[in-house]
Amino acid sequence: MTKTPLIRPCTLVWLILLALTGLTWFIGESGITGMAIVGFVLATTLFKSQMVVDYFMGLKHVRAAWRGLLFGYLLLVCGMIGVAYYISLT
Amino acid sequence: MTTSRKHDAGGLPGDFAIWIFIFAELLVFGVFFLAYAFSRANNVELFNESQLHLNRIAGAANTVVLLTSSYFVVRAVAAIRADNARRCGHWLLSAIGMGSVFLVIKMFEFGEKFSAGISLSTNTFFMFYLSLTFFHFMHVILGIVILAAVLLKARSGGYSAANHTGVETGASYWHMVDLVWLILFPLVYVIH
Amino acid sequence: MQYSSQAVAKPYFIAAIGLFIGQILFGLIIGTQYVIGDFLFPEIPFNVARMVHTNLLIVWLLFGFMGAAYYLVPEEAERELFSPKLAIAMFWIFLVAGALTIVGYLAVPYATLAAATGNDLLPTMGREFLEQPTITKIGIVVVALAFLYNIGMTIITGRKTVINIVLLTGLTGLAVFFLFSFYNPINLVLDKMFWWWVVHLWVEGVWELIMGAILAFVLIRLTGVDREVIEKWLYVIIAMALITGIIGTGHHYYWIGTPEYWQWWGSIFSALEPIPFFMMTVFAFTMVNRRRKEHPNKAATLWALGCAVMAFLGAGVWGFLHTLAPVNFYTHGSQITAAHGHMAFYGAYVLIVITMISYAWPHLHHKAPAANGRAQLFEMWSFWIMTISIVFITLFLTGAGILQVYLQRVSDTPLPFMVVQDKIALFYWLRLWTGVIFFVGLCLYVYSFFAKDNKSLASS
């Protein structure tokens, strides 16, 4: 079986996810805020989650509808969180 | 859903039934997250002030731990696809180990909050913080139980490159547990 | 029928239907009392008639569940029932105890009944649905233990299937949670809190397991779909039912003195309680659509599909209507609750018991897989009449409830309770007449057991 095609991108994804987690943590520590920051963190979160869906769960390789369903879910959740923060900031 | 669908669940990895379960779980967490976000919109100051009391290092560390654990599960699936049940078992055990580290860190965090006299009734923020993280905590435990069951079967030679639906089923559930935490961490610990 | 001991289910089913008739008669009495306040007073006061109506419902459903278990378990376990004699003995004990209790309700004032049955020694009476005298409750526990022992031994020594295990878990849960009816704290908050452990964790918890198991059993037999497939659905459905149902208990804890977080926990988890019911509907229709054979018992298939749909509407949709804390703040204890209660009990539990009876009866009574065509026709008519009636009863009560909530609670100039009751009396009249039609449907159902086919009618 070909194992590198599965493992190599996943190792990279794992490292990217760790780096982005560090970035999110740093933003939290620095205490900076504002809609742009919140939007950035939420976009990072959306990206990170979709990476897990695509590579870890492996949905990149299945029928697009399933991936789309999960993307829709993540977009809805992150988007609505953004809306809630937007309401509170204005 | 017929038996043939089990092998062709639109290609979803693992048993189709676990995916129904995963979707339902995601729905529960989604509703919970939005309830948090919109309650916060009505109580911004209370939420911002209370959030400062959270242990963000523990939260970030747990994110790293869960991500790593998920990665180990990916390696376990790759190992069994290469027909290496032994290595699959090792990766699964490592993933379970990381899951346990998550639980320990979380229990330390809970202990810290409880000894500070914080409870579900302290205020709306801590109600959500404790409810969400405890609910997720229970899922980590369930995930570990599932991975352990898969591990036992893998050890006894129950899986092979040709037949490893069970490994993928357990892996899919575990990634869901990870996925939910990836949203929970920034939402509850970071953005304000 | 593959095992002769399955026949013990027969008296249970007969008793269930008999008590069902009684329940509906008392329903008609209280329906009349809603609009003619002194109807049958002082012989049968409203509170007594209502108690009989709800208690009969619970008892006949329990008879139905036990009958279903006695029929289903041997066939699944592939062996005779552990002890048919014990099952028959328990049947008579339960029937006599139940009958005596009902006679007690009707013959003497409730306080006299309480004093006569030694309620002061171990006070358990006086709470809605758990009105039974303490000795009756002890009797129920004894019957339940003997029943569990009987089917438990059958399952342990026989083939263990998912259906059997789920059913046994549900029935054990039913018995365990009933024990909380003996716990009667002085503190009213704790009293209510644990009261729901019986009431809620029964109908929105363990009973769903029983329902799922019976539905799965009947669908395997009717459709011939692989057991493996049906069992997988059953697993997912009960997992969802338990996750949402157990924490969903919180939707009863909103303003009774429990901590505020229950408003969140209760709202979020109970809002998801429709999911397992929806999955059950999808499950039933998918299995029937993918059937591998044409089972001659069309009526049973209709009951099964009807059960799945009506359970979703009654328990799922009508439950969701008033489960969120901000909505429930206004609708709490109004006719909305009554609307939900009627359709949910009918859809989920009345229909699952009738589904089982409809499937099992031809085997038990005619030694055939299905009743004759004419009998099935009557069954199907009774299904439609009863189901449409309950839909209208629910709609009328919902109308009454919306008006009641508005006039009495939401309006800027709220009206007193009794004034509002007068204003919504039209809905109660409509409900009463629909109840009469329901009773006609029930009579037709009973008649279907005696209906002969056209051939034998012609020859005689």
Side-chain angles (χ1 to χ4, degrees):
Chain A
M1 293 295 275
T2 48
K3 58 181 188 180
T4 34
L6 177 68
I7 295 171
R8 198 178 289 147
C10 284
T11 308
L12 186 63
V13 165
W14 173 56
L15 293 172
I16 294 174
L17 290 175
L18 291 188
L20 288 176
T21 301
L23 182 63
T24 305
W25 172 77
F26 177 76
I27 290 173
E29 287 299 291
S30 68
I32 49 172
T33 186
M35 200 57 222
I37 296 296
V38 170
F40 175 75
V41 172
L42 286 174
T44 312
T45 304
L46 181 62
F47 176 75
K48 280 165 72 182
S49 335
Q50 191 62 35
M51 293 289 250
V52 169
V53 170
D54 286 351
Y55 294 94
F56 284 11
M57 285 178 163
L59 293 205
K60 206 174 164 72
H61 310 289
V62 307
R63 199 184 293 161
W66 294 118
R67 200 175 160 211
L69 182 69
L70 277 164
F71 178 69
Y73 165 83
L74 294 170
L75 188 67
L76 184 73
V77 170
C78 292
M80 291 304 282
I81 293 171
V83 169
Y85 273 76
Y86 180 74
I87 291 171
S88 70
L89 283 172
T90 51
Chain B
M1 188 167 63
T2 62
T3 34
S4 65
R5 186 90 167 265
K6 188 175 70 181
H7 307 295
D8 176 32
L12 279 175
D15 201 311
F16 187 62
I18 198 76
W19 281 95
I20 298 183
F21 200 56
I22 288 174
F23 291 136
E25 295 262 53
L26 286 176
L27 194 60
V28 180
F29 274 105
V31 170
F32 230 135
F33 290 152
L34 296 187
Y36 170 92
F38 283 94
S39 310
R40 181 191 172 278
N42 293 320
N43 280 299
V44 178
E45 270 158 36
L46 173 83
F47 273 60
N48 282 350
E49 200 279 323
S50 306
Q51 199 181 40
L52 295 174
H53 297 279
L54 295 193
N55 189 336
R56 210 177 298 111
I57 293 182
N62 261 342
T63 314
V64 170
V65 167
L66 267 195
L67 279 173
T68 307
S69 169
S70 246
Y71 173 69
F72 288 171
V73 166
V74 171
R75 300 294 303 249
V77 173
I80 198 68
R81 280 184 191 164
D83 217 5
N84 193 337
R86 226 173 91 84
R87 184 173 296 160
C88 171
H90 291 163
W91 283 117
L92 283 174
L93 192 63
S94 318
I96 293 172
M98 289 312 263
S100 311
V101 172
F102 179 95
L103 294 181
V104 170
I105 295 178
K106 204 83 209 111
M107 277 192 281
F108 161 76
E109 222 185 308
F110 281 140
E112 205 180 45
K113 291 292 166 288
F114 291 146
S115 59
I118 288 167
S119 73
L120 277 170
S121 300
T122 301
N123 63 36
T124 314
F125 174 82
F126 283 112
M127 189 283 293
F128 271 112
Y129 163 73
L130 290 174
S131 303
L132 272 168
T133 51
F134 180 73
F135 190 53
H136 180 266
F137 186 84
M138 297 307 287
H139 282 79
V140 176
I141 294 178
L142 179 60
I144 288 179
V145 170
I146 292 175
L147 287 184
V150 174
L151 173 65
L152 283 181
K153 195 169 170 190
R155 280 253 169 98
S156 62
Y159 299 114
S160 63
N163 174 20
H164 56 269
T165 311
V167 182
E168 291 183 343
T169 303
S172 298
Y173 188 81
W174 190 250
H175 294 315
M176 186 276 291
V177 174
D178 182 29
L179 184 68
V180 169
W181 182 262
L182 280 186
I183 305 175
L184 199 159
F185 170 64
L187 177 66
V188 177
Y189 288 79
V190 176
I191 53 175
H192 56 96
Chain C
M1 195 169 68
Q2 297 169 6
Y3 299 92
S4 60
S5 57
Q6 285 177 290
V8 299
K10 210 170 163 181
Y12 282 89
F13 289 153
I14 295 171
I17 295 172
L19 296 172
F20 185 21
I21 298 170
Q23 186 218 341
I24 301 308
L25 286 174
F26 275 88
L28 291 174
I29 291 174
I30 45 182
T32 310
Q33 287 171 335
Y34 255 85
V35 281
I36 307 172
D38 55 359
F39 179 67
L40 290 182
F41 188 81
E43 286 77 19
I44 309 178
F46 177 81
N47 64 324
V48 172
R50 184 184 187 277
M51 189 162 74
V52 175
H53 178 63
T54 54
N55 279 228
L56 277 177
L57 168 71
I58 297 164
V59 171
W60 88 255
L61 289 178
L62 291 179
F63 267 113
F65 289 163
M66 288 196 234
Y70 284 134
Y71 186 85
L72 178 162
V73 166
E75 211 168 292
E76 284 288 299
E78 293 184 335
R79 57 153 289 172
E80 292 288 349
L81 189 65
F82 180 70
S83 168
K85 282 206 183 84
L86 183 64
I88 294 295
M90 285 305 130
F91 169 77
W92 288 109
I93 292 173
F94 195 33
L95 188 67
V96 170
L100 284 178
T101 304
I102 300 294
V103 169
Y105 288 162
L106 293 169
V108 294
Y110 191 67
T112 315
L113 182 67
T117 55
N119 189 54
D120 48 335
L121 296 175
L122 176 62
T124 66
M125 292 174 72
R127 292 175 296 168
E128 197 183 0
F129 309 131
L130 305 180
E131 294 97 344
Q132 310 81 31
T134 306
I135 44 169
T136 307
K137 288 198 183 85
I138 294 171
I140 293 174
V141 172
V142 170
V143 170
L145 285 178
F147 164 72
L148 284 176
Y149 171 71
N150 208 349
I151 62 160
M153 289 304 286
T154 314
I155 291 173
I156 288 169
T157 55
R159 182 177 67 143
K160 291 160 202 70
T161 65
V162 174
I163 291 178
N164 259 350
I165 301 297
V166 170
L167 183 73
L168 186 62
T169 312
L171 292 167
T172 309
L174 188 153
V176 168
F177 288 118
F178 184 69
L179 294 178
F180 286 95
S181 70
F182 291 94
Y183 182 56
N184 194 5
I186 303 293
N187 181 320
L188 203 58
V189 176
L190 289 176
D191 174 16
K192 271 291 179 193
M193 197 171 147
F194 288 107
W195 179 77
W196 285 115
W197 284 37
V198 187
V199 177
H200 173 95
L201 291 177
W202 264 21
V203 297
E204 291 169 64
V206 290
W207 283 28
E208 286 183 46
L209 269 59
I210 299 171
M211 179 190 169
I214 297 177
L215 192 62
F217 171 83
V218 173
L219 286 175
I220 287 181
R221 300 303 186 284
L222 290 178
T223 65
V225 171
D226 278 354
R227 171 180 293 275
E228 208 185 53
V229 177
I230 287 190
E231 285 176 344
K232 201 179 292 165
W233 274 88
L234 185 59
Y235 264 132
V236 179
I237 288 171
I238 61 159
M240 277 316 293
L242 291 179
I243 289 177
T244 59
I246 292 174
I247 308 179
T249 316
H251 69 174
H252 299 292
Y253 291 170
Y254 293 159
W255 297 282
I256 63 168
T258 48
E260 205 184 322
Y261 55 80
W262 282 113
Q263 290 178 32
W264 290 100
W265 284 69
S267 297
I268 290 171
F269 284 89
S270 69
L272 299 160
E273 277 186 53
I275 294 175
F277 282 107
F278 182 69
M279 281 166 30
M280 232 178 293
T281 313
V282 176
F283 165 57
F285 277 87
T286 314
M287 293 309 115
V288 171
N289 284 337
R290 295 182 181 213
R291 64 187 177 275
R292 291 185 175 172
K293 62 178 184 195
E294 293 299 326
H295 196 281
N297 195 342
K298 302 284 176 219
T301 312
L302 179 65
W303 290 110
L305 292 177
C307 173
V309 173
M310 295 304 291
F312 171 62
L313 283 180
V317 177
W318 252 262
F320 181 78
L321 275 185
H322 57 142
T323 198
L324 298 176
V327 177
N328 196 266
F329 182 74
Y330 291 104
T331 60
H332 192 106
S334 67
Q335 291 298 328
I336 305 269
T337 311
H340 162 58
H342 279 83
M343 204 198 248
F345 264 108
Y346 175 78
Y349 300 122
V350 170
L351 286 183
I352 196 64
V353 170
I354 298 185
T355 301
M356 189 65 199
I357 295 177
S358 179
Y359 171 76
W361 192 261
H363 295 279
L364 288 168
H365 195 67
H366 306 295
K367 310 269 180 271
N372 66 63
R374 195 161 158 273
Q376 285 198 43
L377 194 66
F378 278 111
E379 260 193 72
M380 292 189 193
W381 270 99
S382 74
F383 167 81
W384 286 110
I385 294 175
M386 286 198 283
T387 303
I388 293 172
S389 303
I390 213 79
V391 167
F392 275 94
I393 287 175
T394 305
L395 289 175
F396 292 140
L397 287 176
T398 308
I402 292 173
L403 213 54
Q404 178 192 18
V405 168
Y406 182 76
L407 293 174
Q408 196 183 313
R409 295 173 178 174
V410 180
S411 149
D412 290 334
T413 49
L415 298 172
F417 177 82
M418 286 313 287
V419 175
V420 173
Q421 292 300 307
D422 270 345
K423 288 191 185 295
I424 57 181
L426 175 67
F427 284 108
Y428 292 147
W429 275 110
L430 291 169
R431 185 266 299 264
L432 176 59
W433 288 113
T434 320
V436 173
I437 298 173
F438 184 95
F439 186 68
V440 171
L442 177 59
C443 292
L444 211 57
Y445 175 64
V446 174
Y447 178 72
S448 76
F449 286 85
F450 306 100
K452 294 194 168 58
D453 63 3
N454 291 324
K455 261 183 255 159
S456 53
L457 276 181
S459 63
S460 64

